[in-house]
Amino acid sequence: MTTAAPAEPGRTITTDIPARLDRLPWSRWHWTIVIGLGTVWILDGLEVTVVGNIAGRLSEPGSGLPITSGQVTGIAAALYVAGACLGALFWGRLTDRWGRKKLFMITLAVYLAATALTAISFDTWWFLLFRFLTGFGIGGEYAAINSAIDELIPAEYRGRVDLMINGSFWLGAVGGSLLSVVALDTDLFAANVGWRLTFALGAVLALVILLVRRHVPESPRWLLIHGRDREAEEIVSSIERSIEAERGAPLPAAEGELTIHQRSSVSFAEIARTVFSDYRRRAVLGFSLFIGQAFLYNAITFGFGAILTTFFDVPTGDTGYYFAVIALGNFCGPLLLGKLFDTVGRRVMISSTYLLSGLLLFGTAWLFDRGSLSATTMTACWCAVLFFASAGASSAYLTVSEIFPMETRAMSIAFFYALGTAAGGISGPLLFADLTGTGKVGDTVLAFQIGAALMCAAGLVAVFLAVRAERRSLEDIATPLTAAATKARTAVGAAAAAGESGKPGEPEGPQPPQGPKTATA
């Protein structure tokens, strides 16, 4: 129950809504959230994979575009990632100010329009422009979607659900791989038509998701902080009634309350101070995880098709089959390992998935350098690497979305995604396109080794800095800035932030005082 005077910013309220959300059992309602919000990563996987697999066809005479394979896997890939970085920052700030729902509708609409316009590309500049704008829409999705998911999913299931949703990127990659095989078949479609249909299909799928997403509610946690507690109460009560009807039994009482001072917005300066002063160690962790996974995925997977055609003479039209196998391995990682992030724990699982994927990639580089691999065995090696890397990469999004205060959540996701991805995702494709373009085994081995080293380094950082967030309420992991009990944080912030005790996985930053806390399930 929420008690307050008329709901508007500036009021102090005491609420049990976070505890009520966390104590909910898994239900059909939660599946609607997963489907409505999580399916967008399928589109992202479709986009990235299709572009990588059609690069060879786009550069061939008769494609309808005067573009080279290097421009597709290098410049276009870098522009897509640059758009995603800028979009994350732009939309992320608005997500914290305007709400999760409004932004995850707007950003999907931007993606839909840009993808549709990519399909009608008539010149290189047009193709590059709308690859950038497609990424701009997708970047906003990362902040809005991960914020909404973490704030709506019960604490007991948050880790596995977040990993599964972020890992669904690879279902899109499977679809994109197989779709590219069909689209590049000139017996079915003309050379200047098939690749256009792949982008058109992405726009159609986005439209379907947009229609489904209308039924996903705003985050009650966000509503509480922004003076709209009556709306939050209505949403949570409606969820509870639907779950009780499904179970045929009343829900157990929620335990724990939170007192907050409602505010309409939080300044950018306060967000920056919170993240980089109060939570320095967590900031280092976020950067490390994102840089490691961003280089591995944005640099190397963008050019996997080029590796197959350059070093193993795989026909352009067949690369999709190989990538589909790799994509399945990627999806299986978060799917099969996700539950362990909620049971074994975040620190053990994050560090081990990063370290294992890095070590396996070093082994793959060694075998490739010796000439011991074929197209099939190279694909098998990548399946093993990415089985663990995919779970690790998905956990990077989970980590930065749950270890900072709620008022900074979307902006934190956006910031770490943008900086980490800019470091590995913009420079990576450009560098990797040059390395694979030389046709020299040693250059490609070097790219593999750089990716492996960064993954291992991130894993070591996680060993010491990862936060034990499993099965804990978001409000317990990081006290909201609006929590009434933390109004004196400027006076004690430095001392409290000295939770940088050096103990692996210990909470950091201002912590709640003794007394009632929001309870976990």
Side-chain angles (χ1 to χ4, degrees):
M1 179 178 182
T2 302
T3 59
E8 59 186 45
R11 301 285 182 178
T12 297
I13 68 169
T14 297
T15 179
D16 63 355
I17 279 179
R20 287 160 65 188
L21 288 170
D22 277 338
R23 68 69 155 95
L24 293 175
W26 192 259
S27 66
R28 285 196 298 267
W29 183 85
H30 293 105
W31 279 116
T32 65
I33 300 302
V34 171
I35 295 170
L37 298 181
T39 44
V40 73
W41 302 147
I42 296 177
L43 293 180
D44 191 15
L46 185 73
E47 282 285 328
V48 173
T49 308
V50 161
V51 172
N53 286 331
I54 68 175
R57 178 54 47 81
L58 280 174
S59 63
E60 294 174 358
S63 71
L65 280 182
I67 195 169
T68 67
S69 178
Q71 286 177 314
V72 177
T73 59
I75 298 176
L79 283 173
Y80 178 85
V81 175
C85 293
L86 293 176
L89 294 172
F90 179 78
W91 300 115
R93 179 62 174 146
L94 294 181
T95 299
D96 280 332
R97 290 177 62 88
W98 292 357
R100 300 357 181 177
K101 180 166 185 174
K102 183 177 291 186
L103 268 296
F104 64 58
M105 296 295 286
I106 293 173
T107 53
L108 183 57
V110 170
Y111 166 86
L112 190 160
T115 300
L117 290 169
T118 302
I120 61 171
S121 296
F122 57 87
D123 205 346
T124 302
W125 70 266
W126 181 279
F127 180 82
L128 296 178
L129 171 63
F130 285 101
R131 289 307 295 157
F132 172 83
L133 291 176
T134 300
F136 191 73
I138 283 290
E141 288 278 295
Y142 279 101
I145 299 303
N146 279 291
S147 298
I149 289 169
D150 280 3
E151 290 166 13
L152 290 169
I153 298 299
E156 183 178 355
Y157 306 99
R158 188 174 62 240
R160 72 196 76 175
V161 171
D162 202 297
L163 259 70
M164 182 178 69
I165 287 176
N166 281 287
S168 67
F169 172 98
W170 294 103
L171 286 180
V174 173
S177 299
L178 299 178
L179 181 61
S180 66
V181 172
V182 176
L184 296 180
D185 188 344
T186 52
D187 291 334
L188 297 175
F189 304 105
N192 65 340
V193 173
W195 65 267
R196 298 181 190 276
L197 294 178
T198 61
F199 291 109
L201 179 61
V204 171
L205 292 175
L207 179 60
V208 173
I209 295 172
L210 192 64
L211 295 175
V212 173
R213 195 173 280 184
R214 293 180 306 163
H215 303 291
V216 176
E218 179 56 87
S219 164
R221 283 176 157 105
W222 184 88
L223 291 170
L224 282 176
I225 285 178
H226 289 79
R228 295 163 62 181
D229 41 285
R230 286 198 181 95
E231 291 178 57
E233 176 66 35
E234 291 171 2
I235 290 172
V236 175
S237 295
S238 175
I239 297 168
E240 289 172 331
R241 286 193 298 270
S242 69
I243 294 177
E244 286 178 338
E246 178 185 335
R247 288 164 54 90
L251 291 167
E255 298 179 5
E257 292 182 334
L258 180 72
T259 300
I260 61 173
H261 186 75
Q262 296 175 322
R263 300 165 64 176
S264 58
S265 64
V266 178
S267 70
F268 192 84
E270 187 170 2
I271 292 174
R273 184 179 67 248
T274 299
V275 173
F276 298 110
S277 178
D278 293 341
Y279 292 94
R280 292 187 297 274
R281 287 160 57 90
R282 296 185 183 190
V284 171
L285 173 66
F287 280 129
S288 301
L289 297 182
F290 267 95
I291 289 174
Q293 65 87 26
F295 190 93
L296 181 74
Y297 278 99
N298 291 299
I300 297 177
T301 58
F302 264 123
F304 185 69
I307 294 174
L308 293 176
T309 56
T310 301
F311 296 104
F312 300 108
D313 298 322
V314 174
T316 301
D318 292 344
T319 58
Y321 292 117
Y322 292 90
F323 206 97
V325 174
I326 286 177
L328 280 174
N330 270 281
F331 178 65
C332 288
L335 183 66
L336 299 179
L337 300 177
K339 185 176 181 179
L340 299 178
F341 284 78
D342 285 325
T343 54
V344 174
R346 304 286 201 263
R347 180 161 60 95
V348 172
M349 292 306 299
I350 293 171
S351 59
S352 61
T353 51
Y354 269 78
L355 287 168
L356 280 171
S357 61
L359 293 174
L360 288 170
L361 182 53
F362 273 124
T364 300
W366 179 72
L367 292 172
F368 181 70
D369 189 39
R370 287 170 51 90
S372 302
L373 298 176
S374 63
T376 300
T377 53
M378 168 67 88
T379 302
C381 287
W382 267 100
C383 279
V385 171
L386 298 178
F387 176 84
F388 295 103
S390 181
S394 295
S395 72
Y397 293 94
L398 167 66
T399 297
V400 298
S401 67
E402 66 181 2
I403 63 174
F404 298 106
M406 201 201 88
E407 298 87 344
T408 71
R409 180 162 295 122
M411 196 60 206
S412 295
I413 296 169
F415 191 78
F416 287 101
Y417 169 80
L419 266 68
T421 303
I426 296 177
S427 60
L430 294 173
L431 171 64
F432 199 71
D434 289 339
L435 290 174
T436 56
T438 66
K440 297 179 180 178
V441 171
D443 289 341
T444 300
V445 168
L446 175 61
F448 287 179
Q449 291 172 336
I450 293 172
L454 289 173
M455 287 296 281
C456 287
L460 291 175
V461 170
V463 168
F464 296 99
L465 300 185
V467 179
R468 291 191 176 97
E470 57 275 7
R471 300 191 178 195
R472 293 176 63 194
S473 166
L474 294 171
E475 291 74 22
D476 286 343
I477 298 169
T479 306
L481 302 181
T482 47
T486 62
K487 297 308 292 180
R489 66 189 299 278
T490 51
V492 299
E500 298 182 3
S501 60
K503 296 179 182 179
E506 287 303 311
E508 176 200 353
Q511 298 299 312
Q514 297 297 318
K517 296 194 297 183
T518 303
T520 57

